Amino acid sequence: MITSGSEDHYKRELRRPFWKLRFTPPLEAEFIAAAADRRLKHNMICVAALIVLYDIALIPDWLQSPETFAANAVLRLTIFTPFCLVCLAILKRGAPPLLQEILLGLILVMTVLFETSRLVQSDFDADAAIYQLGGGLCCMMFAAVVMKARFSTTLVVLLLMFVLKANFIWVAPGSIGAAGRAIMMHAFASAVMMLLLAAFLLERAERVGFIQGLRASLLNRELEKAASTDGLTGLGNRRYLSEVTNSLWTDQKGPNLVSVVLIDIDHFKLFNDHYGHVGGDVCLRRVSECVKAAATRPDQMAFRYGGEELLLVLPDTVEADARVCAERVRELLSHEAIPHLGLNNDALVTISIGIATADRRATSLTDLIATADNALYNAKRAGRDRVWPPRRETVENGSEALPAKPQISSKPRTVKTGTR
């Protein structure tokens, strides 16, 4: 099912004129595709049932008109039934919706054609009139209510049925007078109008239900997104982080190498003290946009880990590529040039970043984040506004002063999301 529609789009479709059934072309194609499998099964069952019911009707044929029974049996058993079986075989092979409608239309018209042809073979008396009226109405109801072809198909089929009935009723020889024939014509005409209305309302209800289903699906997606998204930054929240990483760690066919990038805004408490919480929220959103922009692959996911700490989870990413991604975040933030007057008049907002890479089969997410957390701690000790661990060549050239290695905890630092 296509999921790109908006609530306003669906509302516009529901406000369309009552008589207008078809949706806009993209939505119409989606509607047909969504119902394709269900309608195929329904049509196959209806055709199979029609074969049985129509052939069983040979019994009342024999009781009402024994002299025409042989001819009717030949029509039904050697033409109608084989044709329906061929149609059933075509349907079973997965006929497209348009071909299904054509086949259904042909089958339904044949039922009336063969059933009405008896009128020219026998005397059109009162018994024949009752038989024709009952049989014709049953065929029409089966077409409109049971088989439930699309309204356009039902319209054509019922009109053809009425024309065939009217023609045979007026030309068939027999003892029924003009008044009796007119009454039958009126009965068939009334039945056609009522059944067309029923077919229209049935399809309209199906279409409205389809739109309501899309609206419900859209609402569910929005609720799921709200439940998995941090309201301030638009990044994934801790709940979504647990879902994603559980899926990643349990996927036997997924990538084994995983990198995490832990990001912390430098001197954020001073920023909050100077600009207030509203200013701090604006700053946090702008930094989050930089983090999202740095995650260029679909499988790279950004989360708000807590407070002013943000997290990137990078599946199938080596440490060097994780460092490139981290430096990209710093580069994007430098272009933002967010003033940090809480630090000094010339200061800009900066971030410190810790990265960690490991084989998910040999570690847990908790341990991986703990390693990144300690790397972040080292970045702070080394002067902030940097990525840790640095590139090897940078360390060898002495341009990065290595802080004393801290004791690595088996758990990440406890982050209090209410403080900054």
Side-chain angles (χ1 to χ4, degrees), residues 27-340:
L27 193 57
E28 182 69 19
E30 181 180 353
F31 171 71
I32 293 173
D37 290 340
R38 174 177 53 82
R39 286 191 65 82
L40 179 60
K41 293 177 182 177
H42 175 83
N43 292 338
M44 291 177 64
I45 293 172
C46 287
V47 171
L50 185 60
I51 294 173
V52 175
L53 293 173
Y54 202 64
D55 287 345
I56 288 177
L58 282 171
I59 297 174
D61 275 2
W62 176 73
L63 294 174
Q64 195 273 324
S65 182
E67 67 276 10
T68 62
F69 174 77
N72 290 331
V74 170
L75 287 175
R76 297 189 186 214
L77 298 178
T78 65
I79 299 178
F80 177 79
T81 299
F83 178 77
C84 289
L85 291 174
V86 170
C87 291
L88 198 58
I90 295 173
L91 292 176
K92 191 174 181 179
R93 294 174 65 88
L98 179 59
L99 180 57
Q100 291 181 46
E101 296 294 309
I102 293 173
L103 294 177
L104 293 180
L106 290 173
I107 291 172
L108 292 169
V109 171
M110 286 177 67
T111 61
V112 171
L113 179 63
F114 291 168
E115 184 261 341
T116 308
S117 63
R118 295 176 60 252
L119 288 177
V120 298
Q121 304 173 34
S122 62
D123 181 54
F124 189 26
D125 55 13
D127 289 341
I130 294 173
Y131 184 82
Q132 287 296 319
L133 184 61
L137 292 179
C138 286
C139 291
M140 290 179 176
M141 285 189 293
F142 192 91
V145 180
V146 179
M147 193 163 278
K148 292 193 295 188
R150 291 293 171 218
F151 178 73
S152 55
T153 303
T154 304
L155 175 63
V156 173
V157 167
L158 288 183
L159 290 179
L160 285 174
M161 285 181 171
F162 177 75
V163 170
L164 289 172
K165 282 291 183 184
N167 181 64
F168 280 109
I169 286 172
W170 281 114
V171 302
S175 57
I176 297 293
R181 297 171 190 255
I183 291 173
M184 290 187 66
M185 291 281 291
H186 177 266
F188 281 122
S190 299
V192 166
M193 288 188 288
M194 288 186 288
L195 289 173
L196 282 176
L197 178 60
F200 176 86
L201 294 177
L202 284 171
E203 182 166 339
R204 190 176 192 281
E206 181 186 0
R207 289 173 175 271
V208 170
F210 173 72
I211 292 293
Q212 297 291 18
L214 290 180
R215 293 179 69 189
S217 297
L218 178 62
L219 177 60
N220 287 336
R221 291 195 301 273
E222 290 176 348
L223 290 174
E224 289 175 0
K225 182 179 179 181
S228 61
T229 303
D230 177 70
L232 175 61
T233 62
L235 304 180
N237 56 21
R238 293 290 288 269
R239 174 180 175 273
Y240 186 49
L241 172 63
S242 297
E243 292 178 2
V244 168
T245 52
N246 285 340
S247 175
L248 180 62
W249 252 255
T250 56
D251 184 5
Q252 299 298 323
K253 297 181 180 180
N256 293 323
L257 201 63
V258 180
S259 293
V260 296
V261 176
L262 190 59
I263 304 157
D264 184 80
I265 302 175
D266 297 327
H267 301 294
F268 191 65
K269 185 178 185 305
L270 294 178
F271 189 96
N272 249 0
D273 291 343
H274 182 82
Y275 292 97
H277 287 285
V278 174
D281 290 346
V282 173
C283 173
L284 191 55
R285 278 195 292 267
R286 293 178 69 179
V287 174
S288 298
E289 289 299 323
C290 296
V291 174
K292 281 193 288 188
T296 55
R297 289 195 342 232
D299 62 341
Q300 296 178 338
M301 295 156 285
F303 304 89
R304 185 182 183 187
Y305 192 61
E308 68 272 20
E309 285 191 331
L310 309 175
L311 180 71
L312 279 167
V313 177
L314 313 175
D316 198 20
T317 303
V318 298
E319 182 179 298
D321 291 338
R323 185 178 295 106
V324 170
C325 183
E327 292 290 359
R328 176 64 175 159
V329 178
R330 290 182 63 242
E331 178 186 0
L332 291 170
L333 182 61
S334 67
H335 294 161
E336 292 289 320
I338 305 172
H340 194 333

Side-chain angles (χ1 to χ4, degrees), residues 351-383:
I351 52 176
S352 297
I353 303 176
I355 60 177
T357 302
D359 189 321
R360 65 183 176 89
R361 296 170 297 183
T363 188
S364 65
L365 175 67
T366 300
D367 291 338
L368 188 58
I369 294 179
T371 303
D373 192 45
N374 279 283
L376 174 61
Y377 178 72
N378 286 340
K380 296 281 189 182
R381 285 174 56 87

